[in-house]
Amino acid sequence: MSAARASTPPSTVGRGPRAGLLLVGVLLLGANLRAGITAVGPVMPQIEEQVGLSAFQASLLVSLPLVAFAAVSPFAPRLAEALGLERTLGSALAVLAVGIVVRSIPGPGLIWVGTLLLGAAIAVLNVLIPSLIKRDWPQRIGPMTGVYQSVTALTAALASGLVVPIAGAVPSGWRFALGIWAGLAVIGVAVLLPWILGTASVRAATPTTNPTSSSAASPSAPAARPDRAQLPLRSPLAWQVSLFMGLQSTIYYTMVTWLPAIQIANGASAVQAGWFHFAFQACGLAGTLFSAFMIPRLRAQSGLGILLAGAGLVGVLGLLLLPGLSLLWALCAGFCTGGAIVLAMALFGLRTADYHQAAGLSSMAQSLGYVLAALGPVVIGLVKDATGSWTLPLLLLAGVAVAQGVFVALAGRPRTIGG
């Protein structure tokens, strides 16, 4: 057995109630990753009117969670080492609930504070969930990533589709429609609490040299921890994975922000654009399931990644060249983004030797990736304002899709960091 493989602990899940509880917990973690973000776009006109935001401020509000992703991601592995992986995930869910509520409360600046808290919490979840899967399901990284990302895509689609009807049905409007998603985070904390308390008692009762693991270490284990999570900044493979992560995130968040405006400019009504936006999110679920099915069946994932990038390129160019088929192009783009995020998250485990490396790669890739993703919607919006049309912005986005295909072709080759 290789040293790298020997350093990866066996699954700590086992069978029985704890295994089921942890699986439900992972699904709830996934359910909270996008709903609080994707619900904003459809009610942004109401937010702009009531809060008094300019179009530029609205773009910044949409991008603020991504800025938080980039800023907080490097610190998530260290936080897990200090508190334990389980406690950190549970705490992040609690902060997420607080952020969603604060964002929905009337008051000067609270929408910005709440959005920042929300983004910081999701950043921690984004980084550590792949590490959790690498630790507890090391032989099922692709399927488990697909499972939780499927829930992520489903709740993102539901949030996009339900927020406007809910806002129109209650006196508090968009505030209530956004605030109710805090309930999902609270449910997640409640479900995970017995697991968190159980692993905390194990950590308190047994000396361990591995704060990010819920399993007790051997008393004879050395005090040094050379395998602690580190950012693999000198690894070309890590940079390839990171750039793929960033480019696919740029396409997703640009589409989340601007797809309705593009489709309205192409002749769709506001209602149609809302449903096309829902279709974009819903087709992301199809891409998610497709990637989850294919990843464990492929030794190399380059071909899968190129296929997904190609679907994104077709969707972007279709919006430019054949705008009358906007629904079809929204479906293509959704299939690309839904499948690409699963592949990106799976690569954190597939391209690393153990879950410490997985946490480090996840942290690096998401920090760099979300810098690009945060810039994407803002740059596209500025180019649109400067040119007065969507032609150049869509051409730039098509270039992003091509670059995504290049870097996933490199990152998808079967190898590991340092291997």
Side-chain angles (χ1 to χ4, degrees):
M1 179 180 295
S2 67
R5 186 172 295 276
S7 66
T8 303
S11 172
T12 60
V13 176
R15 300 179 183 274
R18 185 180 185 279
L21 179 64
L22 183 54
L23 177 59
V24 173
V26 170
L27 297 181
L28 283 167
L29 290 170
N32 280 281
L33 292 180
R34 286 188 188 170
I37 297 175
T38 60
V40 174
V43 293
M44 183 55 77
Q46 300 174 35
I47 296 174
E48 288 178 290
E49 180 181 353
Q50 291 188 19
V51 181
L53 300 179
S54 66
F56 179 69
Q57 288 173 323
S59 296
L60 288 179
L61 185 65
V62 171
S63 296
L64 187 58
L66 308 183
V67 174
F69 291 176
V72 173
S73 292
F75 303 101
R78 296 292 181 263
L79 194 60
E81 288 172 358
L83 300 179
L85 186 54
E86 294 80 7
R87 285 183 179 180
T88 306
L89 290 169
S91 299
L93 278 178
V95 173
L96 175 60
V98 171
I100 292 174
V101 171
V102 169
R103 182 180 63 178
S104 302
I105 298 174
L110 290 183
I111 191 171
W112 298 96
V113 173
T115 301
L116 189 61
L117 286 174
L118 174 153
I122 295 177
V124 173
L125 297 175
N126 273 332
V127 170
L128 296 182
I129 294 174
S131 180
L132 174 68
I133 291 174
K134 179 70 174 181
R135 187 192 72 183
D136 287 346
W137 289 278
Q139 306 304 320
R140 298 184 59 81
I141 292 172
M144 282 302 303
T145 303
V147 165
Y148 91 81
Q149 284 291 337
S150 295
V151 175
T152 300
L154 179 60
T155 53
L158 289 174
S160 296
L162 294 176
V163 65
V164 172
I166 293 173
V170 296
S172 53
W174 66 267
R175 296 187 185 278
F176 179 81
L178 294 184
I180 59 171
W181 297 101
L184 198 58
V186 172
I187 292 171
V189 173
V191 169
L192 289 174
L193 191 59
W195 173 52
I196 295 169
L197 294 177
T199 53
S201 64
V202 170
R203 285 164 53 85
T206 308
T208 176
T209 61
N210 181 9
T212 59
S213 173
S214 62
S215 58
S218 168
S220 62
R225 291 185 314 190
D227 57 350
R228 67 183 297 180
Q230 296 180 353
L231 301 183
L233 296 173
R234 296 184 179 182
S235 168
L237 174 57
W239 283 99
Q240 292 159 11
V241 173
S242 298
L243 288 169
F244 166 56
M245 174 69 190
L247 293 165
Q248 64 84 25
S249 296
T250 299
I251 293 178
Y252 174 76
Y253 284 103
T254 300
M255 285 292 183
V256 165
T257 304
W258 294 116
L259 183 59
I262 294 170
Q263 291 169 326
I264 289 173
N266 285 343
S269 67
V271 174
Q272 286 175 322
W275 281 112
F276 290 169
H277 195 270
F278 173 80
F280 164 76
Q281 298 282 1
C283 198
L285 178 58
T288 295
L289 295 173
F290 177 74
S291 280
F293 176 80
M294 293 301 298
I295 288 170
R297 290 163 173 78
L298 299 171
R299 182 171 179 270
Q301 292 77 38
S302 299
L304 172 62
I306 292 171
L307 174 64
L308 294 169
L313 180 61
V314 168
V316 172
L317 291 179
L319 288 170
L320 178 62
L321 301 176
L322 294 172
L325 300 176
S326 287
L327 177 58
L328 176 61
W329 311 133
L331 295 176
C332 288
F335 183 80
C336 163
T337 56
I341 185 60
V342 174
L343 181 53
M345 293 292 183
L347 288 177
F348 301 155
L350 292 172
R351 296 296 169 263
T352 53
D354 55 51
Y355 72 94
H356 298 282
Q357 277 194 356
L361 177 58
S362 178
S363 176
M364 173 182 168
Q366 296 197 56
S367 180
L368 172 64
Y370 287 120
V371 168
L372 296 178
L375 291 173
V378 175
V379 170
I380 292 297
L382 290 175
V383 173
K384 162 60 170 61
D385 289 343
T387 62
S389 78
W390 287 106
T391 300
L392 184 56
L394 287 172
L395 287 174
L396 291 174
L397 202 58
V400 172
V402 171
Q404 174 185 326
V406 171
F407 283 103
V408 75
L410 297 171
R413 293 176 293 176
R415 56 214 168 106
T416 58
I417 292 175

